[in-house]
Amino acid sequence: MSENKKSEKIAGVKGMNDILPADAPLWELFENTVQTVLKSYGYQQIRTPIVEPTAVFARGLGQVTDIVEKEMYSFTDSMNGDQLTLRPESTAGVVRAVLEHNLTYDGPKRLWYAGPMFRHERPQRGRYRQFHQIGAEAIGFTGPDIDAELIMLCQRLWDDLGLDNIRLELNSIGNADERSRHRADLVAYFEQHKELLDGDAQRRLHSNPLRILDTKNPAMQEMVNGAPKLLDYLEDESLGHFEGVQKILRHNNIPFTINPRLVRGMDYYNRTVFEWVTDQLGSQGTVCGGGRYDPLVEMFGGKPTPACGFAMGVERLLELMKASGEQFAPNQCDVYLVHQGDAAQMQASVIAERLRDAGLDVVLHCASAGSGGGWKSQMKKADASGAAYAVILGEDEMASGAATVKAMRSLEGENNQAAVVFAEIPDYLVDQIVGNDDHDHSEHIHYHH
Ligand code: ATP
Ligand code: MG
């Protein structure tokens, strides 16, 4: 190696992050909490591929959306010429899969998914090119009860995560007829104020004027505030559904505000739309968005099937958890095995296996480049591992048949060492660790409130 020219380092793709071990406990806690909550509402996991035919998104999301217009990682499969896209979201793929496998043949389904999504956006805080979503899709349910259930599931999750600074914004965007009547008036209104429209808005004026309401341009806010409100165009059925959702939420003390300007980025939504928003993340404050998308299944060639769902942005929620000042314990293990000499190394590997048989998390010291295997350096590593105990095997221990077991987190002055016969080490340590009240052996990730 040393004779070769030193190679240049290769950096990862811009906007696509490595999730490093230091953050792993936080991710694990988050993912476990979400899964537990989803399960408690009867949702089942579905895993669809990261790559789909481009048509899945072009048809599912609508041509005039940020995602389809400019954010998709699309490519041609060089083997067969197929047009493929890295999924920018999961709803379209889930619906594709539900139809392909006729999943709703025996009734409606509650589904959830988790995984990376890809959008070619300008990377900034809370906005990445690879990011992660966890979402739920309830397919085949007609009433406002499922909309409310999805919202309440989110509320429970924020509560379980100790996040109390996320608020719910709710709106109804009605059905296609109601939107088209509103749209006619809306286009007329925007045309009266044409001089105030920015480039994006001009482009959308006739293709997707509803999205203009979603503008983040401060210069357009006042004009947009005065625009005709879609809510005023809803008729009895849509209003009844919307009122039904609100009634359940009020009954369960879920606070919300109605935001008449809330529309969602995708074309497939109808009726209920909602966003969970925080003020603590700057301009990337939406941590979760969802709503009803009754037309989507039919757009994919299925028979009319109502549906409703949400997707949350994992990175934004994790940042919120970090900002909330909670402490997350670093990676931990129960036991670190320290050894010196060939015979001790053999014995250590056997003891490590027996400890794992007993359900403990064990790190066995292994040779590494550039660091000494001396006692001092091994004990340093044992300390850094976060282990509660070190099991020490040297010449003396091999001669006596008993290892030195050292409590690494004992108080000063306490007797923290014991000689334990090899065969008895697993029982001894399980007693010490599980018997110890403040160490929850089954759960190594501690979330301190
Ligand atoms: P935004 O208006 O912030 O672009 P969006 O409407 O495009 O959001 P959705 O498609 O509804 O977002 O995705 C659901 C959630 O996924 C968002 O609320 C957000 O938390 C998260 N999310 C979306 N895009 C990104 C991204 N590029 N990086 C990180 N998280 C994202
Ligand atoms: Mg977006």
Side-chain angles (χ1 to χ4, degrees):
M1 281 297 279
S2 56
E3 281 159 18
N4 295 342
K5 189 167 139 265
K6 201 165 175 230
S7 302
E8 300 258 344
K9 284 186 182 142
I10 301 172
V13 178
K14 188 177 168 204
M16 303 202 182
N17 300 317
D18 299 308
I19 296 155
L20 301 177
D23 275 336
L26 184 60
W27 279 78
E28 200 177 319
L29 169 70
F30 181 83
E31 287 167 344
N32 289 342
T33 309
V34 182
Q35 291 191 24
T36 304
V37 170
L38 284 160
K39 196 157 169 274
S40 78
Y41 284 79
Y43 286 71
Q44 298 174 303
Q45 191 178 19
I46 182 165
R47 300 182 193 230
T48 60
I50 283 170
V51 179
E52 295 275 357
T54 301
V56 165
F57 307 112
R59 192 187 303 176
L61 276 53
Q63 292 292 345
V64 198
T65 56
D66 282 351
I67 293 179
V68 174
E69 270 184 328
K70 56 187 182 198
E71 294 175 359
M72 294 207 301
Y73 282 92
S74 297
F75 57 97
T76 306
D77 184 329
S78 60
M79 300 296 165
N80 59 13
D82 286 353
Q83 295 301 311
L84 303 175
T85 294
L86 297 184
R87 65 180 183 198
E89 56 95 60
S90 260
T91 302
V94 166
V95 166
R96 195 261 317 135
V98 163
L99 285 174
E100 197 164 324
H101 305 283
N102 196 19
L103 275 191
T104 49
Y105 79 100
D106 60 348
K109 283 280 174 300
R110 290 177 168 87
L111 304 172
W112 70 273
Y113 62 81
M117 308 295 156
F118 304 85
R119 297 184 192 179
H120 202 283
E121 312 197 58
R122 189 169 67 80
Q124 54 197 291
R125 178 188 182 200
R127 192 176 292 287
Y128 311 104
R129 291 179 174 174
Q130 175 180 280
F131 63 100
H132 295 75
Q133 287 183 338
I134 301 183
E137 314 290 359
I139 305 197
F141 299 93
T142 50
D145 44 357
I146 197 78
D147 310 29
E149 173 180 292
L150 286 159
I151 289 171
M152 283 159 61
L153 187 163
C154 292
Q155 178 69 62
R156 178 177 296 277
L157 177 63
W158 317 144
D159 290 347
D160 286 0
L161 292 169
L163 298 173
D164 54 10
N165 40 25
I166 304 177
R167 61 173 197 279
L168 174 61
E169 296 197 349
L170 194 62
N171 193 21
S172 173
I173 57 170
N175 62 31
D177 282 348
E178 291 154 350
R179 280 200 300 278
S180 91
R181 276 193 290 278
H182 168 251
R183 179 187 160 128
D185 289 358
L186 192 63
V187 171
Y189 174 86
F190 286 142
E191 272 173 340
Q192 282 166 21
H193 297 88
K194 211 158 188 174
E195 72 287 354
L196 291 172
L197 299 180
D198 61 18
D200 254 4
Q202 303 235 2
R203 214 161 28 82
R204 287 181 167 143
L205 181 55
H206 294 283
S207 56
N208 197 351
L210 203 58
R211 283 302 308 275
I212 299 177
L213 297 174
D214 203 19
T215 180
K216 281 153 188 150
N217 182 352
M220 287 172 53
Q221 291 306 317
E222 200 182 324
M223 183 273 294
V224 158
N225 282 337
K229 293 195 172 38
L230 178 49
L231 268 184
D232 296 333
Y233 291 74
L234 301 197
E235 295 182 19
D236 289 351
E237 249 186 273
S238 292
L239 279 177
H241 188 98
F242 191 35
E243 187 46 50
V245 177
Q246 295 176 55
K247 195 171 159 193
I248 299 172
L249 295 181
R250 277 194 224 102
H251 224 77
N252 285 279
N253 300 314
I254 310 285
F256 60 87
T257 54
I258 292 177
N259 175 357
R261 281 183 41 200
L262 180 63
V263 294
R264 304 265 315 128
M266 276 63 110
D267 275 0
Y268 52 62
Y269 283 101
N270 71 326
R271 291 194 171 169
T272 315
V273 291
F274 61 87
E275 279 188 356
W276 292 94
V277 188
T278 179
D279 298 322
Q280 317 226 313
L281 295 177
S283 50
Q284 266 61 253
T286 307
V287 293
C288 178
R292 199 160 258 287
Y293 51 94
D294 296 334
L296 189 62
V297 176
E298 229 182 325
M299 284 162 62
F300 273 91
K303 52 178 193 278
T305 308
C308 193
F310 65 74
M312 63 182 88
V314 177
E315 282 83 355
R316 291 184 193 178
L317 282 159
L318 294 185
E319 201 178 327
L320 206 51
M321 285 167 76
K322 284 183 178 170
S324 74
E326 311 282 358
Q327 295 299 309
F328 300 95
N331 291 308
Q332 287 177 344
C333 65
D334 296 313
V335 183
Y336 193 99
L337 261 141
V338 169
H339 52 84
Q340 200 69 236
D342 290 347
Q345 183 184 8
M346 288 303 130
Q347 187 61 52
S349 73
V350 172
I351 293 174
E353 286 304 304
R354 296 296 79 77
L355 289 171
R356 294 178 186 122
D357 290 344
L360 298 178
D361 297 340
V362 182
V363 175
L364 172 63
H365 181 83
C366 287
S368 60
S371 87
W375 288 122
K376 217 169 147 199
S377 120
Q378 288 197 37
M379 286 310 289
K380 246 195 197 153
K381 289 202 174 73
D383 196 41
S385 74
Y389 288 85
V391 170
I392 301 162
L393 287 174
E395 251 173 58
D396 293 349
E397 284 83 1
M398 289 310 293
S400 70
T404 303
V405 177
K406 183 176 178 196
M408 303 294 284
R409 304 279 174 267
S410 59
L411 301 170
E412 213 168 316
E414 229 177 346
N415 176 23
N416 64 357
Q417 263 179 229
V420 183
V421 176
F422 295 160
E424 286 167 13
I425 297 174
D427 280 352
Y428 174 83
L429 281 173
V430 166
D431 268 5
Q432 295 288 314
I433 290 170
V434 181
N436 192 344
D437 280 343
D438 59 11
H439 185 110
D440 176 1
H441 170 240
S442 64
E443 181 55 85
H444 295 291
I445 294 154
H446 302 278
Y447 183 54
H448 304 288
H449 279 280

